[in-house]
Each structure stands twice: as C-alpha cells, then as structure tokens.
Amino acid sequence: MSTVAILSRYVNESRKIAEQTAFRLGYPLVTMEDLVKGAATDWNVPESELSEALRGVTLYDQFFRKRKMKLISMMELKLCELMVEKPIVFCGYIGYPIFREISHVLEVLVLARPESQEKMPETEKGTKPFADDKILKWLKNIYKMELEDPNLYDLSINIWHMDESEGADVIINTLGQRRFTPTTYSKKVIKDLELALRIKTKLIEKLPDVRVKSHDNTAYVYSKAFKRGRKTAIETKHAIMWMDGVDYVEIYKDPKSFQSV
Amino acid sequence: MKRPEVLLIDDEPIVGQRLKTGLEKMGCAVEVSKDPKEAMAWVNEKRFDIVITDIMMPEINGIQLLEAVKEINPDARVIIITGFATSELARESMEKGAYDMIAKPFKPADLRAMVAQAANEMGFTDVTDGQERHDA
C-alpha cells in the first residue's frame, strides 16, 4: 500500500487535510508531534529538546549543531520505522530526503490561506506572513531545499478555495495511479534507509558530515574524517559492525566513490 | 496440468542460467534469451504468461519490451530486474504496467516468490515457490 507525505508550512490547514485523507484511506496519521514523542521514548531524550531541534534557525544551532543533527536523525529514523511497519499519512516538514527515495510515496505540497489570516482585520491581510516562515528557514538550513518549489512534489494543492474533503479527494485519486504502487524494490529501499539512518544517528555527533547508505545489510559510510587517518575509520567500522542488521561495512573517504555506490 | 509460460530476458547469460532451473522446478515452462531482439520476436510469436526482463540491454531496453508485451497480452505479468534501480524507474515501470520490480543483486528465492504469486493470480494454482508469501 502506498504512503502519503503531506509537506507544508501551513501546519493547521495541512493537518486537517491529512486527517481527512488518513481517515478515508484507513491509514494512521503521523504528525511531527508523533515523531517527537516516538523518538523521545526510543532514545530517552526530552521531548522539549527534540521539539527545539525542529524550530527555526537560532543561535542555539551555531553552538549545538552536531546535537541538533543527531536529534533530527532520531526523528527521521522514527518516521522510517513507521513506514516500514505499514502505510501512513504523514503531515509535517521533516523527512524530505527519505520520501524522495521511495517510489510509492506520494509527495504532496499543501498551500493554504491560514485561519490566522482569515481572522486578521481586513487592513492587515497580506501585510503579515501567512504561516510559519521559520519552517522555510529550517528546511533550507537542514535539507538545503525550498519547501514551496512545486517541482519537488508529485502533487501541489492549494486549499485556499477548497475544503479538506475536496483536498483529500484529489490526494486519494492521485494515489490510485499505478505509478505509486509499491514494488519489491521500493519496500526494500525503506528497509535500507532505516538501517542507514540507524547508523547515521549513531555516528553523526562524532562525524557531522557522515553520509550512510545501505544495501542488503551492507553499510557504506563516508566522512571527510576518514582521510585524516586510519584510526577514525577503524573505530567507525567497529562501532557499527556489531549493530543489528549489519553484515559488512565499507568505509569511503572519497565522496565520488561513495556517490557511485 | 497447465504450466505458466515464462520468458526470461537478460543479456548476462549467467542470470538466465541461474534462474531457469529454479523456475522449472516450481512448475513453469521457461524460455531464456540473452538477446532482447530475439526475445521481442518470441513475444510476437508466442503468448507468454510471465515475462522477466532486465532493463539495461543493448538495442532494446526492458521498458520497450514491457510495452510490447503488454500491448500483445495485457494480462501478462512483467517483472523488471535491474542493476540500476531508482525511484523514477520503479514509477515508470509500474505506470507502464509492470507487475513488480526487483533490484539486482537479488536472492533467487525472492524472484521465485514473485513468480509464484503472479502465476497463482493468473490461475496457475499448482505453482509454488515452497515458502509462504507475504502480501505486496
């Protein structure tokens, strides 16, 4: 069964459409709050710290960037674990690089006129930001992506003049297209991503530039730090060799070689 | 007992050799071709129930074969095997009517399970891969 990922900075509006879609498909709805709670339990980390990592770019980032990336990685891992279990409707703004890799995820961009705008006095409409612009900054900072670039999505819907029910109709009809049918390959991709994210979460504080891929229980790990000496590479290999699901580890110090894996 | 007619196309002969015996043991009638042009000619002559094809092949690629097979026999199940799997290719294959896609290298048992499921859906209920299949 295919999965729906609804990305938007219009938190309340996109949530309503996600709730309708999840209800009608019979899928669980997963929100950013669920990821925060799930990751907090799995990693024994305070929810407040995880929530902080999802906020816009702050001074905190400059000093605790490594920690922030680890916290984000924990939440991405939680998202991936939920996707391995069953199809979901996700609503939020995390996980874009994961969704890109999976052919049976329908990526939806929701644009909206938020309630806050509706409630504004007529004279102020259009003069204040519609939604949480911090989310845009956060995405640019973390994923180097423009959230509202429609080229990044399978479907863009503007619910300015559309209610949640109509929005859900459009999503469900699109999801019915054959190209979003899960394949043995796409289901395996999720499992590979889950393992790669588990490894990344373990390493990212020590190796902030770490990049990890996995195929069939083999882990491929890249970091610039491996160029500096064998010790780091050997320590990294030992650190992940004993993780569940890892049969073999390949270390890369050249980004081009890693890219070609 | 009617057996499903299976055509296996891969320009690497080792792949065909490796899979043929296992598929025959499952109760399939298997023809193997390492030449996609030859396979295309066979597809025009004979009605295959299940076609397993590589993507990257000289002259004719797997997507072209998929389209040809589906045009001749829309009920045929086409399984894509590829060493260059991407999300885009998976979507294109499924959109054009593929039954499933699996990335190389794969375990022969995984492909056999896929073939057994396809054969069962087509009414060849005697075909079994000898292991339980979880739903797609």
Side-chain angles (χ1 to χ4, degrees), chain A residues 1 100-103 105 154 178-185 187 216, chain B residues 85-87 90-91 94-95 97-98 100-103 105 114 135-136:
Chain A
M1 303 289 267
R100 279 276 84 178
E101 301 286 322
I102 306 164
S103 61
V105 174
D154 301 305
R178 234 186 154 271
R179 65 194 173 118
F180 299 110
T181 310
T183 64
T184 299
Y185 164 69
K187 286 183 271 185
D216 291 327
Chain B
T86 61
S87 172
R91 285 185 172 185
M94 297 311 283
E95 191 169 30
D100 204 346
M101 179 171 126
I102 189 165
M114 230 183 255
D135 287 336

PDB file of all heavy atoms in Angstrom, chain A residues 1 100-103 105 154 178-185 187 216, chain B residues 85-87 90-91 94-95 97-98 100-103 105 114 135-136:
ATOM      1  N   MET A   1       0.840  -1.185   0.000  1.00  0.00           N
ATOM      2  CA  MET A   1       0.000   0.000   0.000  1.00  0.00           C
ATOM      3  C   MET A   1       0.881   1.243   0.000  1.00  0.00           C
ATOM      4  O   MET A   1       1.874   1.306   0.693  1.00  0.00           O
ATOM      5  CB  MET A   1      -0.903  -0.005   1.248  1.00  0.00           C
ATOM      6  CG  MET A   1      -1.773  -1.225   1.387  1.00  0.00           C
ATOM      7  SD  MET A   1      -3.068  -1.242   0.164  1.00  0.00           S
ATOM      8  CE  MET A   1      -4.387  -0.449   1.041  1.00  0.00           C
ATOM      9  N   ARG A 100      11.934  11.114  -1.089  1.00  0.00           N
ATOM     10  CA  ARG A 100      12.468  11.188  -2.459  1.00  0.00           C
ATOM     11  C   ARG A 100      12.888   9.822  -2.998  1.00  0.00           C
ATOM     12  O   ARG A 100      12.832   9.560  -4.182  1.00  0.00           O
ATOM     13  CB  ARG A 100      13.717  12.087  -2.480  1.00  0.00           C
ATOM     14  CG  ARG A 100      13.454  13.539  -2.524  1.00  0.00           C
ATOM     15  CD  ARG A 100      13.222  14.083  -3.884  1.00  0.00           C
ATOM     16  NE  ARG A 100      11.854  13.944  -4.333  1.00  0.00           N
ATOM     17  CZ  ARG A 100      11.413  14.384  -5.493  1.00  0.00           C
ATOM     18  NH1 ARG A 100      12.196  14.978  -6.320  1.00  0.00           N
ATOM     19  NH2 ARG A 100      10.156  14.228  -5.845  1.00  0.00           N
ATOM     20  N   GLU A 101      13.373   8.977  -2.079  1.00  0.00           N
ATOM     21  CA  GLU A 101      13.951   7.692  -2.477  1.00  0.00           C
ATOM     22  C   GLU A 101      12.904   6.604  -2.710  1.00  0.00           C
ATOM     23  O   GLU A 101      13.224   5.564  -3.261  1.00  0.00           O
ATOM     24  CB  GLU A 101      14.910   7.191  -1.380  1.00  0.00           C
ATOM     25  CG  GLU A 101      16.066   8.112  -1.054  1.00  0.00           C
ATOM     26  CD  GLU A 101      17.120   8.101  -2.137  1.00  0.00           C
ATOM     27  OE1 GLU A 101      17.384   7.027  -2.694  1.00  0.00           O
ATOM     28  OE2 GLU A 101      17.657   9.179  -2.448  1.00  0.00           O
ATOM     29  N   ILE A 102      11.694   6.852  -2.246  1.00  0.00           N
ATOM     30  CA  ILE A 102      10.713   5.749  -2.235  1.00  0.00           C
ATOM     31  C   ILE A 102       9.619   6.005  -3.271  1.00  0.00           C
ATOM     32  O   ILE A 102       8.857   6.965  -3.151  1.00  0.00           O
ATOM     33  CB  ILE A 102      10.101   5.589  -0.818  1.00  0.00           C
ATOM     34  CG1 ILE A 102      11.228   5.428   0.215  1.00  0.00           C
ATOM     35  CG2 ILE A 102       9.165   4.395  -0.755  1.00  0.00           C
ATOM     36  CD1 ILE A 102      10.790   5.643   1.643  1.00  0.00           C
ATOM     37  N   SER A 103       9.556   5.123  -4.259  1.00  0.00           N
ATOM     38  CA  SER A 103       8.653   5.379  -5.386  1.00  0.00           C
ATOM     39  C   SER A 103       7.185   5.317  -4.995  1.00  0.00           C
ATOM     40  O   SER A 103       6.342   5.888  -5.674  1.00  0.00           O
ATOM     41  CB  SER A 103       8.936   4.387  -6.509  1.00  0.00           C
ATOM     42  OG  SER A 103       8.718   3.068  -6.075  1.00  0.00           O
ATOM     43  N   VAL A 105       5.791   6.592  -2.375  1.00  0.00           N
ATOM     44  CA  VAL A 105       5.350   7.707  -1.519  1.00  0.00           C
ATOM     45  C   VAL A 105       4.848   8.838  -2.413  1.00  0.00           C
ATOM     46  O   VAL A 105       5.577   9.325  -3.280  1.00  0.00           O
ATOM     47  CB  VAL A 105       6.496   8.229  -0.622  1.00  0.00           C
ATOM     48  CG1 VAL A 105       6.047   9.474   0.152  1.00  0.00           C
ATOM     49  CG2 VAL A 105       6.939   7.158   0.363  1.00  0.00           C
ATOM     50  N   ASP A 154       4.946  15.491  -6.173  1.00  0.00           N
ATOM     51  CA  ASP A 154       4.104  14.817  -7.166  1.00  0.00           C
ATOM     52  C   ASP A 154       2.807  15.583  -7.354  1.00  0.00           C
ATOM     53  O   ASP A 154       2.173  15.505  -8.401  1.00  0.00           O
ATOM     54  CB  ASP A 154       3.767  13.396  -6.680  1.00  0.00           C
ATOM     55  CG  ASP A 154       5.011  12.566  -6.452  1.00  0.00           C
ATOM     56  OD1 ASP A 154       5.800  12.452  -7.398  1.00  0.00           O
ATOM     57  OD2 ASP A 154       5.203  12.062  -5.330  1.00  0.00           O
ATOM     58  N   ARG A 178      -1.197   4.042 -10.969  1.00  0.00           N
ATOM     59  CA  ARG A 178      -0.382   2.826 -10.893  1.00  0.00           C
ATOM     60  C   ARG A 178       1.080   3.097 -10.534  1.00  0.00           C
ATOM     61  O   ARG A 178       1.739   2.270  -9.940  1.00  0.00           O
ATOM     62  CB  ARG A 178      -0.452   2.111 -12.249  1.00  0.00           C
ATOM     63  CG  ARG A 178      -0.874   0.696 -12.045  1.00  0.00           C
ATOM     64  CD  ARG A 178      -0.857  -0.160 -13.252  1.00  0.00           C
ATOM     65  NE  ARG A 178      -0.682  -1.533 -12.810  1.00  0.00           N
ATOM     66  CZ  ARG A 178       0.479  -2.103 -12.626  1.00  0.00           C
ATOM     67  NH1 ARG A 178       1.570  -1.428 -12.871  1.00  0.00           N
ATOM     68  NH2 ARG A 178       0.564  -3.353 -12.197  1.00  0.00           N
ATOM     69  N   ARG A 179       1.563   4.277 -10.887  1.00  0.00           N
ATOM     70  CA  ARG A 179       2.984   4.548 -10.660  1.00  0.00           C
ATOM     71  C   ARG A 179       3.344   4.614  -9.172  1.00  0.00           C
ATOM     72  O   ARG A 179       4.505   4.525  -8.818  1.00  0.00           O
ATOM     73  CB  ARG A 179       3.435   5.804 -11.387  1.00  0.00           C
ATOM     74  CG  ARG A 179       2.811   7.087 -10.919  1.00  0.00           C
ATOM     75  CD  ARG A 179       3.074   8.201 -11.918  1.00  0.00           C
ATOM     76  NE  ARG A 179       2.349   9.392 -11.564  1.00  0.00           N
ATOM     77  CZ  ARG A 179       2.931  10.543 -11.269  1.00  0.00           C
ATOM     78  NH1 ARG A 179       4.238  10.639 -11.283  1.00  0.00           N
ATOM     79  NH2 ARG A 179       2.211  11.592 -10.973  1.00  0.00           N
ATOM     80  N   PHE A 180       2.337   4.769  -8.318  1.00  0.00           N
ATOM     81  CA  PHE A 180       2.622   4.808  -6.886  1.00  0.00           C
ATOM     82  C   PHE A 180       2.467   3.434  -6.220  1.00  0.00           C
ATOM     83  O   PHE A 180       2.507   3.330  -4.994  1.00  0.00           O
ATOM     84  CB  PHE A 180       1.723   5.844  -6.194  1.00  0.00           C
ATOM     85  CG  PHE A 180       1.938   7.232  -6.706  1.00  0.00           C
ATOM     86  CD1 PHE A 180       0.971   7.882  -7.466  1.00  0.00           C
ATOM     87  CD2 PHE A 180       3.142   7.887  -6.472  1.00  0.00           C
ATOM     88  CE1 PHE A 180       1.181   9.158  -7.967  1.00  0.00           C
ATOM     89  CE2 PHE A 180       3.365   9.168  -6.980  1.00  0.00           C
ATOM     90  CZ  PHE A 180       2.383   9.796  -7.730  1.00  0.00           C
ATOM     91  N   THR A 181       2.265   2.404  -7.036  1.00  0.00           N
ATOM     92  CA  THR A 181       2.137   1.055  -6.487  1.00  0.00           C
ATOM     93  C   THR A 181       3.471   0.616  -5.873  1.00  0.00           C
ATOM     94  O   THR A 181       4.519   0.768  -6.501  1.00  0.00           O
ATOM     95  CB  THR A 181       1.762   0.054  -7.612  1.00  0.00           C
ATOM     96  OG1 THR A 181       0.654   0.567  -8.326  1.00  0.00           O
ATOM     97  CG2 THR A 181       1.444  -1.319  -7.050  1.00  0.00           C
ATOM     98  N   PRO A 182       3.456   0.078  -4.667  1.00  0.00           N
ATOM     99  CA  PRO A 182       4.721  -0.395  -4.081  1.00  0.00           C
ATOM    100  C   PRO A 182       5.305  -1.547  -4.889  1.00  0.00           C
ATOM    101  O   PRO A 182       4.569  -2.339  -5.479  1.00  0.00           O
ATOM    102  CB  PRO A 182       4.304  -0.893  -2.693  1.00  0.00           C
ATOM    103  CG  PRO A 182       2.973  -0.297  -2.431  1.00  0.00           C
ATOM    104  CD  PRO A 182       2.315  -0.116  -3.756  1.00  0.00           C
ATOM    105  N   THR A 183       6.606  -1.598  -4.941  1.00  0.00           N
ATOM    106  CA  THR A 183       7.293  -2.719  -5.595  1.00  0.00           C
ATOM    107  C   THR A 183       8.182  -3.400  -4.555  1.00  0.00           C
ATOM    108  O   THR A 183       8.446  -2.834  -3.490  1.00  0.00           O
ATOM    109  CB  THR A 183       8.182  -2.227  -6.753  1.00  0.00           C
ATOM    110  OG1 THR A 183       9.212  -1.404  -6.196  1.00  0.00           O
ATOM    111  CG2 THR A 183       7.409  -1.432  -7.787  1.00  0.00           C
ATOM    112  N   THR A 184       8.643  -4.581  -4.914  1.00  0.00           N
ATOM    113  CA  THR A 184       9.590  -5.264  -4.022  1.00  0.00           C
ATOM    114  C   THR A 184      10.799  -4.354  -3.799  1.00  0.00           C
ATOM    115  O   THR A 184      11.321  -4.252  -2.689  1.00  0.00           O
ATOM    116  CB  THR A 184      10.024  -6.606  -4.658  1.00  0.00           C
ATOM    117  OG1 THR A 184       8.849  -7.407  -4.805  1.00  0.00           O
ATOM    118  CG2 THR A 184      11.032  -7.343  -3.798  1.00  0.00           C
ATOM    119  N   TYR A 185      11.204  -3.654  -4.851  1.00  0.00           N
ATOM    120  CA  TYR A 185      12.343  -2.743  -4.759  1.00  0.00           C
ATOM    121  C   TYR A 185      12.056  -1.594  -3.788  1.00  0.00           C
ATOM    122  O   TYR A 185      12.853  -1.314  -2.897  1.00  0.00           O
ATOM    123  CB  TYR A 185      12.684  -2.209  -6.154  1.00  0.00           C
ATOM    124  CG  TYR A 185      13.569  -0.983  -6.132  1.00  0.00           C
ATOM    125  CD1 TYR A 185      14.882  -1.069  -5.728  1.00  0.00           C
ATOM    126  CD2 TYR A 185      13.066   0.266  -6.501  1.00  0.00           C
ATOM    127  CE1 TYR A 185      15.689   0.067  -5.681  1.00  0.00           C
ATOM    128  CE2 TYR A 185      13.853   1.394  -6.459  1.00  0.00           C
ATOM    129  CZ  TYR A 185      15.166   1.285  -6.050  1.00  0.00           C
ATOM    130  OH  TYR A 185      15.961   2.396  -5.997  1.00  0.00           O
ATOM    131  N   LYS A 187       9.931  -1.351  -1.387  1.00  0.00           N
ATOM    132  CA  LYS A 187       9.790  -1.775   0.004  1.00  0.00           C
ATOM    133  C   LYS A 187      11.159  -2.066   0.618  1.00  0.00           C
ATOM    134  O   LYS A 187      11.392  -1.818   1.796  1.00  0.00           O
ATOM    135  CB  LYS A 187       8.865  -2.995   0.099  1.00  0.00           C
ATOM    136  CG  LYS A 187       7.401  -2.610  -0.108  1.00  0.00           C
ATOM    137  CD  LYS A 187       6.474  -3.769   0.057  1.00  0.00           C
ATOM    138  CE  LYS A 187       6.276  -4.490  -1.234  1.00  0.00           C
ATOM    139  NZ  LYS A 187       5.294  -5.560  -1.185  1.00  0.00           N
ATOM    140  N   ASP A 216      21.175  -4.478   1.314  1.00  0.00           N
ATOM    141  CA  ASP A 216      21.297  -5.880   1.720  1.00  0.00           C
ATOM    142  C   ASP A 216      22.242  -6.083   2.900  1.00  0.00           C
ATOM    143  O   ASP A 216      23.162  -6.909   2.835  1.00  0.00           O
ATOM    144  CB  ASP A 216      21.772  -6.739   0.534  1.00  0.00           C
ATOM    145  CG  ASP A 216      20.710  -6.842  -0.524  1.00  0.00           C
ATOM    146  OD1 ASP A 216      19.528  -6.843  -0.172  1.00  0.00           O
ATOM    147  OD2 ASP A 216      21.070  -6.915  -1.713  1.00  0.00           O
TER     148      ASP A 216
ATOM    149  N   ALA B  85      18.418   0.339 -10.371  1.00  0.00           N
ATOM    150  CA  ALA B  85      17.094   0.692  -9.843  1.00  0.00           C
ATOM    151  C   ALA B  85      17.084   2.103  -9.253  1.00  0.00           C
ATOM    152  O   ALA B  85      18.020   2.497  -8.570  1.00  0.00           O
ATOM    153  CB  ALA B  85      16.693  -0.308  -8.764  1.00  0.00           C
ATOM    154  N   THR B  86      16.050   2.825  -9.592  1.00  0.00           N
ATOM    155  CA  THR B  86      15.817   4.145  -8.997  1.00  0.00           C
ATOM    156  C   THR B  86      14.312   4.283  -8.759  1.00  0.00           C
ATOM    157  O   THR B  86      13.518   3.525  -9.319  1.00  0.00           O
ATOM    158  CB  THR B  86      16.224   5.297  -9.946  1.00  0.00           C
ATOM    159  OG1 THR B  86      15.429   5.196 -11.134  1.00  0.00           O
ATOM    160  CG2 THR B  86      17.692   5.277 -10.293  1.00  0.00           C
ATOM    161  N   SER B  87      13.981   5.290  -7.968  1.00  0.00           N
ATOM    162  CA  SER B  87      12.581   5.569  -7.703  1.00  0.00           C
ATOM    163  C   SER B  87      11.843   5.907  -9.015  1.00  0.00           C
ATOM    164  O   SER B  87      10.720   5.455  -9.250  1.00  0.00           O
ATOM    165  CB  SER B  87      12.515   6.741  -6.729  1.00  0.00           C
ATOM    166  OG  SER B  87      11.226   7.179  -6.552  1.00  0.00           O
ATOM    167  N   ALA B  90      11.210   2.785 -11.079  1.00  0.00           N
ATOM    168  CA  ALA B  90      10.130   1.981 -10.482  1.00  0.00           C
ATOM    169  C   ALA B  90       8.773   2.567 -10.866  1.00  0.00           C
ATOM    170  O   ALA B  90       7.856   1.842 -11.267  1.00  0.00           O
ATOM    171  CB  ALA B  90      10.278   1.945  -8.960  1.00  0.00           C
ATOM    172  N   ARG B  91       8.672   3.889 -10.785  1.00  0.00           N
ATOM    173  CA  ARG B  91       7.400   4.530 -11.139  1.00  0.00           C
ATOM    174  C   ARG B  91       7.065   4.354 -12.614  1.00  0.00           C
ATOM    175  O   ARG B  91       5.933   4.051 -12.972  1.00  0.00           O
ATOM    176  CB  ARG B  91       7.459   6.021 -10.805  1.00  0.00           C
ATOM    177  CG  ARG B  91       7.337   6.270  -9.335  1.00  0.00           C
ATOM    178  CD  ARG B  91       7.281   7.741  -9.044  1.00  0.00           C
ATOM    179  NE  ARG B  91       6.984   7.952  -7.629  1.00  0.00           N
ATOM    180  CZ  ARG B  91       6.787   9.136  -7.090  1.00  0.00           C
ATOM    181  NH1 ARG B  91       6.849  10.210  -7.836  1.00  0.00           N
ATOM    182  NH2 ARG B  91       6.505   9.257  -5.813  1.00  0.00           N
ATOM    183  N   MET B  94       5.990   0.707 -13.281  1.00  0.00           N
ATOM    184  CA  MET B  94       4.645   0.393 -12.778  1.00  0.00           C
ATOM    185  C   MET B  94       3.576   1.106 -13.614  1.00  0.00           C
ATOM    186  O   MET B  94       2.524   0.544 -13.905  1.00  0.00           O
ATOM    187  CB  MET B  94       4.510   0.787 -11.305  1.00  0.00           C
ATOM    188  CG  MET B  94       5.432   0.019 -10.366  1.00  0.00           C
ATOM    189  SD  MET B  94       5.429  -1.763 -10.586  1.00  0.00           S
ATOM    190  CE  MET B  94       3.897  -2.231  -9.795  1.00  0.00           C
ATOM    191  N   GLU B  95       3.875   2.333 -13.998  1.00  0.00           N
ATOM    192  CA  GLU B  95       2.939   3.102 -14.815  1.00  0.00           C
ATOM    193  C   GLU B  95       2.682   2.405 -16.154  1.00  0.00           C
ATOM    194  O   GLU B  95       1.568   2.423 -16.678  1.00  0.00           O
ATOM    195  CB  GLU B  95       3.519   4.496 -15.058  1.00  0.00           C
ATOM    196  CG  GLU B  95       2.534   5.464 -15.653  1.00  0.00           C
ATOM    197  CD  GLU B  95       3.070   6.894 -15.614  1.00  0.00           C
ATOM    198  OE1 GLU B  95       4.298   7.068 -15.688  1.00  0.00           O
ATOM    199  OE2 GLU B  95       2.243   7.805 -15.505  1.00  0.00           O
ATOM    200  N   GLY B  97       2.740  -0.697 -16.646  1.00  0.00           N
ATOM    201  CA  GLY B  97       2.067  -1.983 -16.479  1.00  0.00           C
ATOM    202  C   GLY B  97       2.902  -3.107 -15.899  1.00  0.00           C
ATOM    203  O   GLY B  97       2.455  -4.267 -15.925  1.00  0.00           O
ATOM    204  N   ALA B  98       4.088  -2.801 -15.382  1.00  0.00           N
ATOM    205  CA  ALA B  98       4.889  -3.876 -14.783  1.00  0.00           C
ATOM    206  C   ALA B  98       4.167  -4.454 -13.572  1.00  0.00           C
ATOM    207  O   ALA B  98       3.379  -3.777 -12.913  1.00  0.00           O
ATOM    208  CB  ALA B  98       6.260  -3.350 -14.359  1.00  0.00           C
ATOM    209  N   ASP B 100       5.947  -6.026 -11.046  1.00  0.00           N
ATOM    210  CA  ASP B 100       6.808  -5.742  -9.891  1.00  0.00           C
ATOM    211  C   ASP B 100       8.199  -5.409 -10.400  1.00  0.00           C
ATOM    212  O   ASP B 100       8.507  -5.604 -11.589  1.00  0.00           O
ATOM    213  CB  ASP B 100       6.860  -6.957  -8.956  1.00  0.00           C
ATOM    214  CG  ASP B 100       7.219  -6.586  -7.513  1.00  0.00           C
ATOM    215  OD1 ASP B 100       7.691  -5.458  -7.278  1.00  0.00           O
ATOM    216  OD2 ASP B 100       7.030  -7.431  -6.632  1.00  0.00           O
ATOM    217  N   MET B 101       9.027  -4.887  -9.516  1.00  0.00           N
ATOM    218  CA  MET B 101      10.422  -4.590  -9.869  1.00  0.00           C
ATOM    219  C   MET B 101      11.316  -5.003  -8.713  1.00  0.00           C
ATOM    220  O   MET B 101      10.970  -4.782  -7.546  1.00  0.00           O
ATOM    221  CB  MET B 101      10.588  -3.099 -10.152  1.00  0.00           C
ATOM    222  CG  MET B 101      12.012  -2.705 -10.500  1.00  0.00           C
ATOM    223  SD  MET B 101      12.086  -0.984 -11.064  1.00  0.00           S
ATOM    224  CE  MET B 101      13.315  -0.346  -9.948  1.00  0.00           C
ATOM    225  N   ILE B 102      12.435  -5.608  -9.058  1.00  0.00           N
ATOM    226  CA  ILE B 102      13.388  -6.018  -8.028  1.00  0.00           C
ATOM    227  C   ILE B 102      14.786  -5.595  -8.471  1.00  0.00           C
ATOM    228  O   ILE B 102      15.092  -5.627  -9.669  1.00  0.00           O
ATOM    229  CB  ILE B 102      13.279  -7.550  -7.760  1.00  0.00           C
ATOM    230  CG1 ILE B 102      14.101  -7.973  -6.538  1.00  0.00           C
ATOM    231  CG2 ILE B 102      13.675  -8.366  -8.980  1.00  0.00           C
ATOM    232  CD1 ILE B 102      13.755  -9.375  -6.023  1.00  0.00           C
ATOM    233  N   ALA B 103      15.590  -5.153  -7.504  1.00  0.00           N
ATOM    234  CA  ALA B 103      16.938  -4.665  -7.846  1.00  0.00           C
ATOM    235  C   ALA B 103      17.943  -5.809  -7.770  1.00  0.00           C
ATOM    236  O   ALA B 103      17.867  -6.664  -6.886  1.00  0.00           O
ATOM    237  CB  ALA B 103      17.340  -3.554  -6.885  1.00  0.00           C
ATOM    238  N   PRO B 105      21.783  -7.002  -7.021  1.00  0.00           N
ATOM    239  CA  PRO B 105      21.624  -8.456  -6.943  1.00  0.00           C
ATOM    240  C   PRO B 105      20.451  -8.813  -6.027  1.00  0.00           C
ATOM    241  O   PRO B 105      20.193  -8.110  -5.053  1.00  0.00           O
ATOM    242  CB  PRO B 105      22.956  -8.892  -6.299  1.00  0.00           C
ATOM    243  CG  PRO B 105      23.400  -7.730  -5.501  1.00  0.00           C
ATOM    244  CD  PRO B 105      22.889  -6.508  -6.192  1.00  0.00           C
ATOM    245  N   MET B 114       7.941 -14.070  -6.191  1.00  0.00           N
ATOM    246  CA  MET B 114       7.217 -13.115  -7.028  1.00  0.00           C
ATOM    247  C   MET B 114       6.523 -13.836  -8.192  1.00  0.00           C
ATOM    248  O   MET B 114       5.363 -13.577  -8.499  1.00  0.00           O
ATOM    249  CB  MET B 114       8.252 -12.144  -7.604  1.00  0.00           C
ATOM    250  CG  MET B 114       7.950 -10.706  -7.449  1.00  0.00           C
ATOM    251  SD  MET B 114       9.261  -9.810  -8.295  1.00  0.00           S
ATOM    252  CE  MET B 114      10.156  -9.234  -6.922  1.00  0.00           C
ATOM    253  N   ASP B 135       1.929 -10.551   1.672  1.00  0.00           N
ATOM    254  CA  ASP B 135       1.235  -9.720   0.669  1.00  0.00           C
ATOM    255  C   ASP B 135       2.060  -8.528   0.248  1.00  0.00           C
ATOM    256  O   ASP B 135       2.804  -7.980   1.040  1.00  0.00           O
ATOM    257  CB  ASP B 135      -0.103  -9.218   1.226  1.00  0.00           C
ATOM    258  CG  ASP B 135      -1.097 -10.353   1.271  1.00  0.00           C
ATOM    259  OD1 ASP B 135      -0.921 -11.309   0.498  1.00  0.00           O
ATOM    260  OD2 ASP B 135      -2.023 -10.291   2.085  1.00  0.00           O
ATOM    261  N   ALA B 136       1.879  -8.159  -1.021  1.00  0.00           N
ATOM    262  CA  ALA B 136       2.598  -6.984  -1.548  1.00  0.00           C
ATOM    263  C   ALA B 136       2.002  -5.743  -0.951  1.00  0.00           C
ATOM    264  O   ALA B 136       0.871  -5.704  -0.563  1.00  0.00           O
ATOM    265  CB  ALA B 136       2.478  -6.929  -3.060  1.00  0.00           C
TER     266      ALA B 136
END
